[in-house]
């Protein structure tokens, strides 16, 4: 769905939507939500192992950003990557099979939850080392500029990343060399159990962009249309002026940091959680669409049934997919050189 | 004797050393409010306050350097890495600063500090989160490298590491934290640089350390049923290595298997093989065999992850091989 946006008008009205786009956005977010809910279930059943970081509560960020991209743009992100992978168009089957550690997974069972990749959709991976992928995003921007053209790279990260050295190095180069990268900070207020205010000397973190003379902004991350608007402006700058942007998207994670962590506890109260859950990104869009007469309970229920069936199909597919062959253990370490 | 977990043993060591010496402080990600990513520092914030139990941003290079600076001017930092995979970001401070400061300063600036955290693979964490780094750090002159395999050793060695006036790299294991064992009440130290014969047997020496110790003991139990008795030599310290204990055991058994979690190439086992051929060439009845991780990044899927890791069957097969039993 994201990939159809090639004809989106450039400029500041780029985020504007029509009824069918809004319906697509709603469906995409709902699919991600239902997918993640089933992941939690699969994790509890031991079908999914390792670290598993869910996207519930943050769907509007990835959906808004990715819906503005063209198929030839690039996406790079963190370990919290299921929702973005789906938004970019990796099939629920390929993602679920990966999470189940099966050979039909999008990286053949090698990576799991934290390392979803897909060459076909220019999805350059979920990365597990905090901050590590940000210079890589800058490198993608460098390559775009090097080759010419007006592609862009969307580089997602959590707000804790701004405190890593890699972030500073990467954004400085992007500012210095004017690279077409949009750095999207999904500020969900916590890195594991550490609140932003306990980790960063400044709290309006988009202002970090000032240090690199980089255009910057902050947007409501629960409002997918607002995210689209901001992303549209950033993309316009990237495509027409080869300029980077630092975009802070304020959101909240409704689950624990990963499936092994408590949802609330020592670091945030249940009350705070419940307050933030009032602004569920799916409901925010739904209410907007209701006010426009574009959706009602019956159509919402039908959409929900449809995405639930898609997720069930992904689960069934993953379960039926074979485990990786033992020989595959030794494959993909190095590639055969052909040049 | 009380039976406690490896986690609690480390916690006791930290608490006792912080009570004993107010220059000792703990710094790292989630060590304070969250009580430790793996709860090793549980209760320490409450007991010692936020000046001595310090939560950091995700900034490994930065806080490792803060530790080095504090050590230069008189404090005794314990720097916790959430895992050693993330410590790679700080390796410049460990290798280029901590390990060299004394030498570069002509002996003026010792580095009494500890870098610690879990090392090696847990379960299905895949490539970036499942790595054993001890051979990398053991490569560096100027560091001591320790890797306890039991709660008793964990406590005694951490206390020794904190009291050591040199930088000590301390490898724990995520899969070890719940491991239980006897730990006496009261004060004791396990000296750095001393191996421990965890089990005695005449037929073959099984050299190991850290997380592989419980596995090695299991191998010894299994093989004892067939009348094969193993010397299980737990190195405990990888650098400086207790070559004397190694030679003593090898001269007795004449056969050696080395079991480690990490990769083969330039691994700790390669160094053990070198000491064996140097010191015990005439005592060896068979080439030394090594058991280690497959020479690939760690995959996610259960079946191939299992195939990549050393295990009971692979280690038993290695012992049988050096004993020419097959
Ligand atoms: C360099 C490094 N240090 C520590 C970790 C462990 N870790 C994984 S995620 C995380 C929190 C990151 O928070 P944030 O960037 O805000 O992203 P969020 O999880 O909230 O999406 C930490 C500390 C890591 N993966 N990499
Ligand atoms: Mg966060």
């Amino acid at each position: 769905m994201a990939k159809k946006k090639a004809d989106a008008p450039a400029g500041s009205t780029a985020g504007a939507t029509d009824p069918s786009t809004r319906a697509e956005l709603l469906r995409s977010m709902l699919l991600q939500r239902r997918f993640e809910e089933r992941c939690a279930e699969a994790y509890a059943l031991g079908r999914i192992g390792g670290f598993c970081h869910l996207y519930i509560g943050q769907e509007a960020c990835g959906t808004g950003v990715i819906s503005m991209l063209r198929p030839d743009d690039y996406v790079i992100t963190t370990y919290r990557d299921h929702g973005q992978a789906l938004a970019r168009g990796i099939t629920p089957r390929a993602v679920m099979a990966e999470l189940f550690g099966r050979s039909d997974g999008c990286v053949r069972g090698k990576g799991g939850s934290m390392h979803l990749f897909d060459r076909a959709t220019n999805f350059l991976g979920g990365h597990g080392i905090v901050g590590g992928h940000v210079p890589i995003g800058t490198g993608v921007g460098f390559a775009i500029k090097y080759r010419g053209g007006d592609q862009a790279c969307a580089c997602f990260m959590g707000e804790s990343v701004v405190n890593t050295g890699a972030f500073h190095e990467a954004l400085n180069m992007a500012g210095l060399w004017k690279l077409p990268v949009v750095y999207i900070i999904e500020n969900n207020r916590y890195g594991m159990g550490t609140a932003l205010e306990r980790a960063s000397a400044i709290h309006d973190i988009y202002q970090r962009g000032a240090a690199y003379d980089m255009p910057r902004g902050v947007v409501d991350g629960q409002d997918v249309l607002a995210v689209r608007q901001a992303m549209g402006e950033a993309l316009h700058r990237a495509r027409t002026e080869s300029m980077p942007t630092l975009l802070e998207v304020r959101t909240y994670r409704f689950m624990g940091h990963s499936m092994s962590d408590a949802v609330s506890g020592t670091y945030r109260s249940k009350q705070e959680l419940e307050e933030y859950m009032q602004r569920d990104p799916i409901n925010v869009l739904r209410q907007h669409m209701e006010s426009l007469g574009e959706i009602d309970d019956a159509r919402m229920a039908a959409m929900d049934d449809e995405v639930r069936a898609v997720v069930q199909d992904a689960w069934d597919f993953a379960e039926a997919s074979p485990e990786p062959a033992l020989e595959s253990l030794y494959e993909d370490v190095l590639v055969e050189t052909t040049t | 004797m009380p039976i406690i977990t490896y986690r609690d043993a480390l916690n006791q060591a930290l608490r006792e050393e912080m009570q004993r010496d107010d220059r000792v402080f703990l710094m790292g990600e989630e060590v304070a409010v969250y009580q430790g990513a793996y709860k090793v520092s549980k209760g320490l914030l409450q007991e010692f306050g936020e000046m001595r139990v310090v939560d950091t941003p995700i900034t490994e290079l930065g806080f490792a350097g803060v530790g080095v600076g504090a050590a230069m001017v008189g404090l005794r930092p314990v720097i916790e890495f959430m895992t050693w995979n993330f410590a790679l970001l700080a390796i410049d401070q460990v290798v280029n600063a901590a390990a060299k400061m004394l030498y570069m300063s002509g002996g003026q600036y010792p580095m009494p500090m500890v870098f610690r955290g879990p090392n090696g693979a847990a379960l299905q964490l895949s490539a970036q989160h499942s790595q054993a780094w001890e051979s990398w750090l053991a490569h560096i002159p100027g560091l001591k490298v320790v890797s306890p395999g039991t709660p008793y050793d964990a406590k005694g060695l951490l206390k020794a590491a904190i009291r050591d006036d040199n930088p000590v790299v301390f490898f724990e294991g995520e899969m070890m934290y719940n491991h239980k064992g006897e730990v006496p009440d009261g004060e004791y130290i396990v000296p750095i640089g001393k191996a421990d014969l965890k089990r005695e047997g005449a037929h073959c020496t099984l050299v190991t350390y850290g997380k592989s110790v419980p596995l090695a003991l299991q191998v010894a139990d299994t093989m004892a049923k067939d009348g094969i008795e193993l010397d299980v030599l737990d190195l405990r310290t990888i650098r400086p290595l207790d070559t004397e204990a190694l030679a003593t055991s090898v001269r007795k058994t004449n056969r050696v298997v080395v079991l480690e979690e990490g990769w083969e190439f330039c691994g700790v086992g390669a160094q053990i093989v070198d000491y064996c051929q140097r010191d015990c060439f005439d005592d060896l009845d068979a080439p030394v065999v090594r058991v280690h991780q497959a020479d690939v990044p760690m995959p996610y899927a259960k079946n191939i992850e299992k195939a990549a890791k050393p295990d009971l069957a692979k280690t038993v097969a290695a012992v049988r091989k050096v004993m020419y039993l097959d």
Side-chain angles (χ1 to χ4, degrees), chain A residues 53 58 78-80 128-132 157-162 164 186-194 253 257, chain B residues 29-30 58-60 82-83 85-87 89 129:
Chain A
H53 309 80
Q58 301 181 211
T78 69
Y79 46 84
R80 198 178 298 286
I129 304 299
V130 169
M157 69 197 86
E159 85 293 338
S160 302
V161 170
V162 306
T164 68
E186 292 193 48
N187 178 2
N188 62 10
R189 315 236 315 102
Y190 296 92
M192 287 187 76
T194 303
R253 95 173 125 64
H257 167 70
Chain B
E29 291 158 15
E30 309 287 357
I58 303 176
T59 183
E60 286 83 3
M82 193 178 282
T83 81
N85 302 291
F86 316 143
L89 296 169
H129 284 76

Side-chain angles (χ1 to χ4, degrees), chain B residues 122-264:
Chain B
L123 285 174
Q124 286 200 275
L125 300 185
S126 64
Q128 292 183 322
H129 284 76
S130 313
Q131 306 173 92
W133 292 117
E134 61 274 16
S135 71
W136 275 39
L137 277 303
H139 191 59
I140 311 297
L143 296 177
K144 295 187 178 183
V145 179
V146 171
S147 183
T150 65
Y152 177 90
D153 290 338
K155 179 172 179 184
L157 278 165
L158 185 54
K159 287 168 74 84
I162 292 171
R163 292 185 199 183
D164 203 291
D165 287 332
N166 298 287
V168 179
V169 170
F170 197 93
F171 289 114
E172 301 159 15
E174 192 182 326
M175 308 290 288
M176 291 293 288
Y177 289 132
N178 285 329
H179 189 74
K180 285 187 179 161
E182 289 187 340
V183 173
D185 284 321
E187 174 72 23
Y188 71 93
I189 291 277
V190 172
I192 292 176
K194 284 272 167 267
D196 183 41
L197 203 53
K198 285 278 186 298
R199 184 180 169 124
E200 284 196 55
H203 298 135
C204 176
T205 301
L206 180 53
V207 183
T208 194
Y209 55 88
K211 194 173 97 191
S212 303
V213 171
L215 173 59
L217 292 171
Q218 221 186 320
V219 170
D221 283 343
T222 306
M223 301 202 80
K225 288 177 198 142
D226 295 328
I228 298 163
E229 298 293 341
L230 303 183
D231 246 16
V232 175
L233 185 67
D234 175 3
L235 296 174
R236 300 197 292 196
T237 299
I238 296 162
R239 185 186 183 109
L241 200 111
D242 189 348
T243 50
E244 220 167 287
L246 179 66
T248 305
S249 175
V250 176
R251 288 191 185 118
K252 178 175 77 178
T253 64
N254 313 113
R255 296 165 200 277
V256 186
V257 169
V258 192
L259 167 62
E260 68 187 303
E261 254 199 289
W263 292 295
E264 173 181 23

Side-chain angles (χ1 to χ4, degrees), chain B residues 8-24:
Chain B
D8 289 340
L10 293 168
N11 181 273
Q12 286 184 6
L14 286 166
R15 174 173 281 116
E16 289 173 19
E17 292 307 301
M18 289 179 75
Q19 285 166 347
R20 181 177 171 271
D21 184 344
D22 64 11
R23 296 169 301 173
V24 178

